Amino acid sequence: MRLLVTFFIFTLTLTTGLAQRYQIRGKVIDVADSKSIPNATILLLSVADSSQVDGMISDFEGNFEIADVSEGEYLFKVQYLGYQNYFRLIQVANDLDLGTIRMREEATALGEVTVSARRATGEQRGDTTAFNASAFKTMRDASAQALIEKLPGVANEDGTLQAQGEAITQILVDGEPFFGGDVKAALQNLPAEVIESIEIFDQLSESARLSGFDDGERIKTINIITKPNSRKGQFGRVSAGYGTDERYLVGASVNAFNNDRRITFTGLSNNINITDYTADPNAQDNSRPQNGIIDTHLLGMNFSDKWGEKIKISGSYLFSRRENFGEEKIFREFITNDDTDQFYDEINEETRTNNQHQFDMRFEYDIDDRNRILFIPRISARFEDERSNFSGETSDGTDLINTVENNRVAKNEDHDIFNRIFYSHKFNKPGRTMTIRARTGNNSNTDRALRTATNEFFVPEFRTEVINQQINRDRTGFSWETGISFTEAISERSQFELEYEIGNRVNDSDQLIFDVLEEGPGTAELALDTTLSNTFDSKFLTQEVELGYQYKLEKVQIQTEIEYQHAQLDNTQGFPVPFELNRTFRAVMPSFRLDYQISQNTNLEFDYDTRTNEPDLRQLQPVVDNSNPTQLYVGNPDLNQAYTNRLRLRFRSNNPETDESWFLWSQARFTNNAIVNSSFIAQEPTEIQDGIILDPGSQLFQPVNVQGQFDFRSWMSYGVPVGFIESNLRLSLSSGINKRPTLVNGENGFNNSTRLSPGISISSNISDKIDFNFRTRFSFNTVKNSINPALDNQFYNQRIRLNFNWIIWEGIVYRLDLSNQVNKGLSDGFDTNFTLVNMSLGKKIFKNQRGEISINAYDLFRQNNNIRRNISESFIEDVQTNVLQRYFMFTFTYNIRRFSKGMDMDDYNEMMGSGGDRGRGDRD
């Protein structure tokens, strides 16, 4: 044994000596003024393939030190937003001091003008807007969302995060998908302090990225680039709280990063309307209150990794259980074709319990430098229990026309599987490629419901109708699509593409409605209602051939395509009356795209494209839906597909010298054969199908094709720093025009609406101890109806929101979230103004102030409300829903921070603080 121990010690000593490690140190400064550059990215790269071996960021004085470096040759790189990259080949055989590294700004110096120490907040690189995260101050422990909402061109509109006028639909972290398409969960699971820079761009579809030809399918994407010294370690947050009215919150988000391997676990249980784990103590799903009272329980995991040099994999799984109790008040003014008015008032409540599983994955395999496979599956399953009831009454403003009382108990199941697979091949000749793609989709929906209703009709004479039904709906669908495309380079600047695609969508829907004749203990006598029951199959086979051409210059790229589409729609009804309907659609769909790089930081894009939209199964199925017996709905198997022309303009400009930014986005769409709901208001008893009578004053809605639909939307933003208050100012202006064709009792008309919405926001950039974000938005709206001008109206809405956070003294933290809404011009009882005030007072505890205890107050003045106006082709409605109101809660939170080599305590304090307050303490 002694001999074995001696041998082990000798071997360990020898191995340690052979595997000696060294240190690399240095300092990064600005070549123009010799001032230090903090938070510069220091990278040690492999000479063979430029892969990252190690990395960190420079401290507040620009110093850096990389420890544990093996002997060998490396490519040393320093990068910082707004500066030219610095490269140097180094040989490590002992400790190495690289001395002072001088970085040169990319912007041209302006004569005798003195360059200040301010760093550029961002720059425009083609269609990508890049921001330096360190140029935007946030509170300690702030989430990525708090940081991103400070960026120019980014706004939170009614709970939806938008960038440059379009909704953000994807979050990437270091270029890899994070939490699938759940933007809110992704941003709340990352702390702002680990972010080095942020990129905002329009990501092309998978197919376009492989082929190099833009198909017009783009999604607004944010790519979060993390600091190198945050890519190896564990970080996150745990929270727990309990309050008045038995309100509670327990949640955790933990990230384990090991360079390419990244795992995130999320858990949440609460009854305070938080539907995703949030790092904001005052958050109630951002600016718009959640409808209803929601209990949420969820578990989630996100995973990404690289397996060797050829395989990248990422995926996420989320289980959620939500119970929502909702109450709603609706006032609806219908469009009529005469001088008579028709109004509908409804009060409803429902309890829905929803259990859902969702799994997303992305698998990339680079077989070699010419062949690549991409596989993207998605699986979801939803199980829902519903208990609901509503009471409604229709009137002419003076006298009742009809009333309805409805109760429903239901169980619903949805199962969906969606797969996409891509294969791309690059030939030996540059520019010659082949891409093969395929997708499949399976879905099934099973609904079982019991429904009772009592309906009263007052004209031409009083009549009562009682309904007692059992409803069975079964829907299955299968779809597939495959395509192949070739690209060929004609010259160094031009390329063409040839593409063929074929796909089919097959749907089978059975709706069986039974009248409950007699109920006994555990049994019921049922009779099939043949007037409301239906079995229906629909097949939609499409084939498309496309030819495209692309031409590139230094600053201009032009692309044009022409596509021919042939579609075959086959509808078959088996019950109650067998019939078949076959339709053939042919369409020529041109597209054009222009990209113009006006200057290094200014970009202009123009798109024109055409699209078709086929009717869905509910719109096609000729079965009466009597969910509301006074407002029936029936499908239309004779529908044509809609054809839309779309024009879109984007302008982006970001001046890194002044930090001024301009963003403009506008879109116009013209639709022929638009699918809208026609409205028929019965003046006398009318038989709409065999055995189904529409009583006077009741309505029948049916989808039809109409001409002349048009909508226009635009959004503009101007951002500039305001030095005297160390903040960023953003002015915005959005507008919209909607021309909605209507068909009421056979008369054609238009329901037109316009909207003009200016806004202003100011976000602080003072320090990590004082942080505020103020924004207000005004909205002026008009509605004009060509059939009945008596429905013309104007309404106004103003929203103000203030987020204020202040570390007062010795870790004492005050937070305020104030929202105010003013409504004018809505229906009686809906012009309600309210102020929602959430605040908290907390104390940082433990080492490095990682823990916090706080007292939180939600809806301090008990004024929370949720009112909105909806405009359709058939009516204008105002809706008010119940919301969570005042409670108080005691909360404990703890921030997990444990980073590996490359992170010392100074670096940690630099991330947690403003950079100047660099306290010292023990390292984990």
Side-chain angles (χ1 to χ4, degrees):
M1 176 63 71
R2 184 178 300 174
L3 182 62
L4 184 61
V5 172
T6 304
F7 177 76
F8 174 76
I9 295 173
F10 172 77
T11 303
L12 181 61
T13 304
L14 180 62
T15 304
T16 304
L18 292 174
Q20 189 167 352
R21 302 285 188 167
Y22 303 101
Q23 292 182 341
I24 302 173
R25 64 176 63 89
K27 182 175 183 177
V28 184
I29 67 170
D30 188 320
V31 69
D33 55 15
S34 298
K35 293 188 176 181
S36 61
I37 300 180
N39 293 325
T41 303
I42 315 298
L43 297 173
L44 207 58
L45 308 176
S46 167
V47 175
D49 57 6
S50 297
S51 61
Q52 181 177 331
V53 177
D54 209 335
M56 64 172 303
I57 59 174
S58 59
D59 65 17
F60 187 67
E61 284 82 20
N63 297 312
F64 64 88
E65 182 176 300
I66 305 176
D68 267 350
V69 180
S70 301
E71 183 176 349
E73 189 177 37
Y74 299 94
L75 182 62
F76 178 77
K77 179 181 179 182
V78 183
Q79 63 184 33
Y80 191 77
L81 190 64
Y83 285 77
Q84 299 175 8
N85 290 338
Y86 175 92
F87 290 96
R88 181 173 172 180
L89 195 65
I90 62 174
Q91 185 72 39
V92 177
N94 46 40
D95 290 344
L96 195 59
D97 189 345
L98 299 179
T100 301
I101 295 169
R102 303 177 185 274
M103 301 285 286
R104 189 179 302 276
E105 289 194 39
E106 291 182 337
T108 304
L110 301 176
E112 297 181 358
V113 176
T114 302
V115 179
S116 68
R118 180 190 59 79
R119 309 300 180 198
T121 61
E123 62 181 0
Q124 192 68 39
R125 301 194 296 260
D127 65 350
T128 299
T129 308
F131 295 101
N132 182 0
S134 64
F136 299 89
K137 299 288 194 305
T138 59
M139 285 281 287
R140 301 176 182 182
D141 310 331
S143 67
Q145 181 165 330
L147 171 62
I148 285 173
E149 287 186 5
K150 285 177 172 282
L151 304 182
V154 176
N156 197 320
E157 298 290 344
D158 298 331
T160 299
L161 200 62
Q162 295 183 353
Q164 302 167 7
E166 300 174 273
I168 299 167
T169 56
Q170 179 176 246
I171 299 294
L172 306 178
V173 175
D174 295 321
E176 303 301 327
F178 195 62
F179 269 95
D182 194 333
V183 172
K184 195 181 304 181
L187 294 180
Q188 289 293 345
N189 276 280
L190 277 178
E193 63 212 47
V194 305
I195 300 175
E196 179 180 82
S197 60
I198 299 162
E199 297 174 336
I200 301 176
F201 59 95
D202 299 311
Q203 188 173 72
L204 301 175
S205 69
E206 301 291 350
S207 197
R209 277 183 280 165
L210 292 171
S211 67
F213 268 76
D214 189 353
D215 56 9
E217 299 291 340
R218 294 183 167 214
I219 57 175
K220 186 63 71 175
T221 300
I222 285 183
N223 181 32
I224 295 174
I225 301 172
T226 59
K227 297 175 180 177
N229 55 350
S230 300
R231 298 174 185 174
K232 205 168 187 179
Q234 301 82 42
F235 56 92
R237 168 179 291 206
V238 295
S239 304
Y242 188 78
T244 58
D245 301 323
E246 298 184 344
R247 300 296 173 192
Y248 75 93
L249 165 70
V250 179
S253 172
V254 180
N255 300 270
F257 281 19
N258 187 1
N259 292 325
D260 293 324
R261 179 176 297 170
R262 303 180 175 191
I263 304 175
T264 300
F265 293 97
T266 301
L268 174 68
S269 179
N270 78 98
N271 61 358
I272 56 173
N273 282 32
I274 296 179
T275 55
D276 295 284
Y277 182 76
T278 174
D280 181 358
N282 291 324
Q284 295 295 331
D285 277 328
N286 302 309
S287 61
R288 167 169 284 183
Q290 282 281 350
N291 298 338
I293 309 299
I294 309 173
D295 291 8
T296 298
H297 315 276
L298 64 85
L299 288 172
M301 184 188 77
N302 189 84
F303 171 81
S304 64
D305 196 7
K306 286 185 180 180
W307 296 346
E309 297 297 322
K310 296 185 176 183
I311 295 177
K312 289 196 297 185
I313 186 169
S314 63
S316 63
Y317 167 77
L318 180 68
F319 167 75
S320 64
R321 176 183 173 86
R322 294 191 175 100
E323 182 174 327
N324 188 331
F325 173 70
E327 295 178 323
E328 194 171 59
K329 178 184 177 183
I330 298 174
F331 179 78
R332 187 175 294 168
E333 188 172 7
F334 288 104
I335 297 171
T336 59
N337 64 334
D338 52 33
D339 293 334
T340 62
D341 294 323
Q342 186 153 317
F343 307 97
Y344 177 71
D345 280 282
E346 178 181 297
I347 297 176
N348 66 65
E349 66 176 42
E350 66 177 15
T351 300
R352 291 180 181 267
T353 302
N354 187 303
N355 294 280
Q356 183 166 351
H357 304 263
Q358 182 163 313
F359 170 77
D360 295 89
M361 193 183 80
R362 180 186 178 92
F363 178 85
E364 300 179 56
Y365 178 31
D366 293 325
I367 302 172
D368 51 40
D369 59 350
R370 297 186 180 276
N371 296 279
R372 181 173 180 240
I373 292 175
L374 173 62
F375 176 52
I376 307 174
R378 166 171 287 189
I379 302 172
S380 67
R382 183 177 66 90
F383 308 89
E384 183 179 74
D385 292 335
E386 172 196 348
R387 289 183 175 273
S388 63
N389 64 79
F390 70 86
S391 60
E393 57 182 40
T394 307
S395 72
D396 60 9
T398 303
D399 300 318
L400 285 176
I401 298 174
N402 55 57
T403 65
V404 58
E405 295 280 347
N406 190 92
N407 293 277
R408 174 183 167 92
V409 178
K411 286 184 176 292
N412 310 312
E413 291 187 17
D414 296 332
H415 302 269
D416 297 278
I417 301 175
F418 186 68
N419 299 296
R420 289 181 292 164
I421 189 166
F422 302 85
Y423 168 73
S424 66
H425 173 73
K426 294 180 181 179
F427 294 90
N428 289 328
K429 180 183 177 182
R432 180 180 293 174
T433 68
M434 176 186 70
T435 304
I436 301 174
R437 62 185 179 276
R439 67 168 178 83
T440 62
N442 285 80
N443 66 277
S444 64
N445 311 98
T446 301
D447 302 336
R448 297 290 183 266
L450 296 174
R451 173 174 170 264
T452 59
T454 301
N455 313 309
E456 294 180 335
F457 303 93
F458 295 87
V459 291
E461 59 185 19
F462 180 77
R463 182 175 69 87
T464 300
E465 177 185 59
V466 177
I467 296 175
N468 189 358
Q469 293 177 333
Q470 178 177 306
I471 303 169
N472 297 344
R473 288 194 183 98
D474 295 281
R475 296 178 182 177
T476 59
F478 175 71
S479 64
W480 60 269
E481 183 179 85
T482 186
I484 184 170
S485 65
F486 293 92
T487 65
E488 179 75 23
I490 303 173
S491 67
E492 291 183 358
R493 299 185 180 276
S494 60
Q495 189 178 34
F496 82 86
E497 178 201 40
L498 179 63
E499 179 180 321
Y500 172 74
E501 189 173 84
I502 182 172
N504 198 8
R505 184 198 68 191
V506 181
N507 289 301
D508 179 10
S509 177
D510 296 341
Q511 174 172 288
L512 302 178
I513 308 296
F514 297 92
D515 293 323
V516 180
L517 303 180
E518 184 177 346
E519 293 184 88
T523 61
E525 183 180 346
L526 306 177
L528 181 66
D529 188 334
T530 57
T531 62
L532 299 176
S533 299
N534 173 276
T535 61
F536 189 78
D537 296 330
S538 177
K539 300 177 182 178
F540 192 75
L541 177 68
T542 60
Q543 298 185 73
E544 298 170 354
V545 178
E546 181 178 274
L547 181 64
Y549 175 77
Q550 187 180 86
Y551 186 77
K552 295 181 179 180
L553 293 171
E554 183 179 353
K555 292 187 175 183
V556 178
Q557 177 175 317
I558 297 174
Q559 179 177 305
T560 183
E561 294 173 303
I562 186 77
E563 178 181 312
Y564 174 74
Q565 182 190 78
H566 181 277
Q568 182 72 36
L569 177 64
D570 297 325
N571 295 329
T572 303
Q573 179 172 283
F575 179 82
V577 179
F579 77 85
E580 291 187 5
L581 178 65
N582 301 320
R583 307 289 302 279
T584 299
F585 308 113
R586 298 177 179 87
V588 177
M589 297 185 291
S591 66
F592 174 80
R593 180 177 180 86
L594 169 68
D595 291 342
Y596 178 32
Q597 190 69 32
I598 300 172
S599 67
Q600 182 177 353
N601 290 289
T602 304
N603 169 262
L604 176 70
E605 297 176 5
F606 172 76
D607 290 281
Y608 164 72
D609 61 28
T610 50
R611 302 179 178 213
T612 59
N613 182 32
E614 70 274 11
D616 62 32
L617 184 60
R618 184 171 186 263
Q619 292 170 330
L620 290 169
Q621 194 171 3
V623 58
V624 173
D625 181 349
N626 70 337
S627 300
N628 185 336
T630 64
Q631 299 172 26
L632 304 181
Y633 176 92
V634 63
N636 180 2
D638 294 325
L639 288 173
N640 291 319
Q641 64 179 2
Y643 185 94
T644 300
N645 295 269
R646 183 181 68 170
L647 297 98
R648 187 169 53 185
L649 179 71
R650 294 185 178 97
F651 174 82
R652 308 175 182 92
S653 180
N654 201 319
N655 189 330
E657 296 178 6
T658 64
D659 283 334
E660 288 182 286
S661 63
W662 282 95
F663 300 105
L664 172 65
W665 176 88
S666 62
Q667 174 180 282
R669 295 186 301 180
F670 306 84
T671 303
N672 295 321
N673 283 328
I675 301 173
V676 303
N677 284 330
S678 67
S679 172
F680 174 73
I681 304 174
Q683 304 299 318
E684 58 185 22
T686 305
E687 187 175 34
I688 58 174
Q689 284 187 8
D690 292 340
I692 300 179
I693 305 298
L694 193 67
D695 285 273
S698 298
Q699 299 189 49
L700 174 69
F701 297 98
Q702 184 177 38
V704 294
N705 292 112
V706 294
Q707 306 302 323
Q709 181 169 293
F710 167 76
D711 69 82
F712 170 81
R713 291 184 295 149
S714 70
W715 179 88
M716 182 179 67
S717 171
Y718 170 70
V720 64
V722 183
F724 69 93
I725 56 172
E726 296 188 67
S727 299
N728 296 310
L729 171 68
R730 182 172 68 88
L731 305 177
S732 65
L733 179 65
S734 63
S735 62
I737 300 173
N738 259 297
K739 185 178 181 181
R740 299 178 178 88
T742 62
L743 184 62
V744 180
N745 283 23
E747 183 176 347
N748 289 294
F750 291 93
N751 195 28
N752 301 324
S753 63
T754 62
R755 176 183 55 83
L756 185 66
S757 182
I760 182 172
S761 69
I762 301 175
S763 60
S764 70
N765 210 23
I766 302 172
S767 74
D768 65 328
K769 293 182 173 63
I770 297 179
D771 185 28
F772 66 83
N773 197 337
F774 170 83
R775 49 197 179 274
T776 183
R777 187 190 67 184
F778 308 85
S779 183
F780 304 91
N781 304 267
T782 62
V783 181
K784 293 187 176 181
N785 187 266
S786 63
I787 295 180
N788 189 351
L791 296 177
D792 295 355
N793 71 89
Q794 298 179 346
F795 60 98
Y796 164 82
N797 172 275
Q798 180 185 3
R799 293 184 179 180
I800 299 173
R801 190 172 187 197
L802 171 66
N803 300 103
F804 178 78
N805 303 287
W806 181 22
I807 299 180
I808 302 172
W809 174 77
E810 293 292 330
I812 297 176
V813 187
Y814 173 74
R815 296 182 176 91
L816 170 68
D817 185 354
L818 183 150
S819 300
N820 175 262
Q821 181 168 316
V822 176
N823 299 299
K824 292 186 181 298
L826 304 184
S827 306
D828 291 343
F830 289 85
D831 273 338
T832 303
N833 307 326
F834 70 90
T835 300
L836 174 63
V837 177
N838 306 330
M839 65 172 61
S840 68
L841 184 65
K843 176 67 173 69
K844 297 286 186 181
I845 58 176
F846 302 143
K847 288 183 181 180
N848 307 311
Q849 300 185 337
R850 296 188 188 182
E852 181 180 327
I853 53 174
S854 62
I855 297 292
N856 302 72
Y858 176 74
D859 188 18
L860 186 63
F861 301 137
R862 203 177 182 85
Q863 293 186 12
N864 194 16
N865 213 325
N866 192 5
I867 296 173
R868 63 188 183 276
R869 168 160 283 194
N870 302 316
I871 301 172
S872 77
E873 64 273 8
S874 305
F875 54 78
I876 301 169
E877 71 174 9
D878 295 318
V879 181
Q880 179 176 355
T881 58
N882 69 318
V883 291
L884 184 67
Q885 290 192 322
R886 184 170 60 197
Y887 68 85
F888 300 90
M889 178 174 285
F890 178 80
T891 304
F892 167 76
T893 61
Y894 183 77
N895 292 287
I896 302 168
R897 299 291 186 271
R898 182 185 294 272
F899 297 100
S900 297
K901 65 178 182 178
M903 167 61 74
D904 59 20
M905 205 55 230
D906 288 340
D907 294 325
Y908 172 75
N909 288 326
E910 169 66 21
M911 293 170 59
M912 291 294 292
S914 63
D917 180 16
R918 297 169 58 212
R920 303 195 62 83
D922 296 330
R923 184 177 177 180
D924 280 347

